[in-house]
Amino acid sequence: MAPSGVNDAWRAGMGAIMRWWNRANGRYASTGTTPNYVLTPTVALAAYVTGERYSFRANFTCGATPTLNISALGAKNIKKFVNGTTKANLAANDIMSGQAVTVEYDGTDMLMVTPTAGLIDSSTTATTSASGIIELATQAEVDTGTDAVRAVTPSTLTGWTPGVGSVTLDPANDEVLIRDASASNVLKRAALTALAAAQADQETGTSTTLYVTPGRQHFHNSAAKAWVNFNGAATINLDYGVASLTNHATGDTTITFDTAFSTSNFAWAGGAMQSGDTNAAQQSIVNEKARTTTTLRVRMANIGDNGTSSGFQTPAPTCVVVFGDI
Amino acid sequence: MTKVVVWVDADGNTAVTVPSPSLISRMGGIDAAIAYLQSRADCVPPTATSVSVRGKAEVPTDLTFRDAWKPDLTVDMPKARTIHQERINRARDEKLAELAAKWSAETARGNTGQANALRAQINALDAAIAGVNVAQAATPDDLRAIWPDEIADKKPQALRRS
C-alpha cells in the first residue's frame, strides 16, 4: 500500500473515532420540542445499536415521557430504572434544560445512564411524588410533628414523644383514643376488646384485671336483671329491664322482661305498701302465680290485723326485683 | 300521651298492658312501644280478644270494682253487685266467727248475760245482712254506699278510702 493510501485509511479511522467520541460525550445539543428530543449528528447514525451509548445536551426541560430521535431513526422513549429493576417513564423535570444526558439503547428504549435531574440537583427537595434530596429530621422536629420534608429515622421514631393531651375511651367502638393537646385530633386508636369485660367475663365473675363497662355490668350474677316500682292498674313509676306490666284483675299483674332469662329458674323478691295505708298492722304480701323465661305473674294480697286475708289488693306501690341469668 | 293496650284474657278478665318508661325511651316514643308490645306474644297474646289501644287517662284510678271492668273500661254492674255481695258475705263470716267465739267463751264461764248480749248481736247481724239489697244499686257509687254498720270494722280498704 502506498504511504498516501495509509494516510487516507488512518484519517478515515480518526474520523470514525471522532464521530463516536462526539456521540458518546455530549458534543451535540439536541433540538426538537417537548416531548421529543431530536439529535442530528454531522454524519448520520446508520442504525440504533443495542448497548451503544448516546450523549447530548438537552435543549429544553422535559415533560412527562420524553423521547429521543437520532438521525431520524425513530423516536424512542427515554426511561429510567426505579428500584433497581423496573423500567419507568421519565417524570417531568427529570431532564433539565442544558443538562448533559447519556442514554443507552437496550433494543427497545433509551435508558438513562446519567442521573435524573432531581438526583444531581441538591436544590431539589424530595416530595411524596418526586425524587430529590432529603434531610434527616432531628428528634425535636419529629416530636413537634409539623415538618413535611425531613425524614424520620428508626432512632428518632423510637424516641418520639408526641404531644399527647389526653386518653379517652370510646365505648361505642370498644376503643381507646389518644388525643393531642387540643383534644380535637385523634393521634391513635387502639382496640379495647382485651381490656373490657365481655358478657362471659361478667357471668364468670372472677377476673380482677378487666374493667366493667356500663353496657356489660348487668351480666354479673350479683346484678338485678329487672326491677319495677308500680301501682294501680296502669302506672309504672320506675323500672329497669321491664318491657311492660299487664294488670289482669285486682292484685293480679304480669311483669314482662326486656330480655329473656336463660332459664325460668330466676329468683325474685317483692314488697308492697297497702294502698297508702302506713298502718303497721296492715301488711301486703306479694306472691308468685306463674312464670316463664320472659314473664313473672304476681298476686298481691292484704293481711289484716286479725291475721286473715281480706282479699287480693292492688297495693301502691308494689316493688319487684328479679335476679338470674340472661 | 301515654297509651295502654286493653284486651280480654283467657280468664275473661279485662287486662290492661302498660309499656314501661324505659321501653318508651328505648323505642323512641309511645306508639313504637305499643306496637312492640303488641308484637310480643308474652305481652299481648294471640289469644287476646277485644284488643284496643287507649289513652292511659281512660284507665280508671278507682279500683273498687276492678274485677268488673269491661273492655271499654266501664263497670259491669251485675258483676260488680256479685263482687260487692261477696265482700259483704266475707265480712259477715269473719264477724260471725268472732262473735261466736266470744259467745262460746262467755257461755263456758256461765256469764249468761254476756252470752245473751252476744246472741243478740249475732241475730242483729243476720238481720242486717239479710236486709242488704245490692240489686237496688244502679251505679258503682250506689254499691259502695251499701255496707251495714254491723260489719263496719270489716270494711275493705278500697271502700274505706272512698
Side-chain angles (χ1 to χ4, degrees), chain A residues 192-244:
Chain A
L192 271 176
T193 49
L195 299 176
Q199 177 177 343
D201 299 315
Q202 286 292 91
E203 291 173 345
T204 303
T206 56
S207 173
T208 56
T209 57
L210 299 175
Y211 74 84
V212 178
T213 57
R216 297 288 184 275
Q217 76 83 24
H218 64 290
F219 287 114
H220 197 278
N221 287 335
S222 65
K225 302 304 184 292
W227 56 261
V228 62
N229 175 320
F230 66 97
N231 57 271
T235 300
I236 300 176
N237 298 314
L238 210 56
D239 79 287
Y240 170 78
V242 169
S244 68

Side-chain angles (χ1 to χ4, degrees), chain A residues 44-180:
Chain A
L45 196 64
Y48 294 131
V49 178
T50 300
E52 188 173 6
R53 296 185 176 187
Y54 310 106
S55 296
F56 63 97
R57 292 188 179 280
N59 65 317
F60 59 86
T61 297
C62 78
T65 319
T67 64
L68 175 60
N69 191 348
I70 304 174
S71 300
L73 292 174
K76 300 294 182 182
N77 286 324
I78 303 174
K79 296 198 173 184
K80 60 186 176 182
F81 267 108
V82 293
N83 300 325
T85 57
T86 305
K87 281 199 297 186
N89 289 323
L90 297 192
N93 301 319
D94 271 352
I95 296 175
M96 302 300 288
S97 180
Q99 180 182 341
V101 178
T102 299
V103 298
E104 180 178 307
Y105 183 63
D106 69 350
T108 304
D109 300 307
M110 296 293 183
L111 301 181
M112 288 283 287
V113 174
T114 48
T116 55
L119 293 179
I120 59 175
D121 180 2
S122 63
S123 67
T124 301
T125 302
T127 69
T128 55
S129 59
S131 301
I133 302 298
I134 191 162
E135 180 183 351
L136 300 183
T138 65
Q139 188 66 63
E141 289 166 340
V142 172
D143 291 348
T144 301
T146 56
D147 187 282
V149 296
R150 293 174 176 80
V152 175
T153 63
S155 173
T156 52
L157 183 61
T158 301
W160 181 44
T161 54
V164 175
S166 61
V167 177
T168 59
L169 298 179
D170 181 7
N173 296 304
D174 280 340
E175 289 182 328
V176 61
L177 308 181
I178 302 172
R179 296 179 181 277
D180 64 8

Side-chain angles (χ1 to χ4, degrees), chain A residues 4 8 19 22 38 44 55 59 64 66 107 114 116 127 153 219 239 242-243 253 258 264 269 292 295 306 311:
Chain A
S4 60
D8 289 345
R19 289 192 294 276
N22 287 344
V38 174
S55 296
N59 65 317
T114 48
T116 55
T127 69
T153 63
F219 287 114
D239 79 287
V242 169
T253 295
D258 277 332
S264 60
T292 68
T295 62
N306 59 2

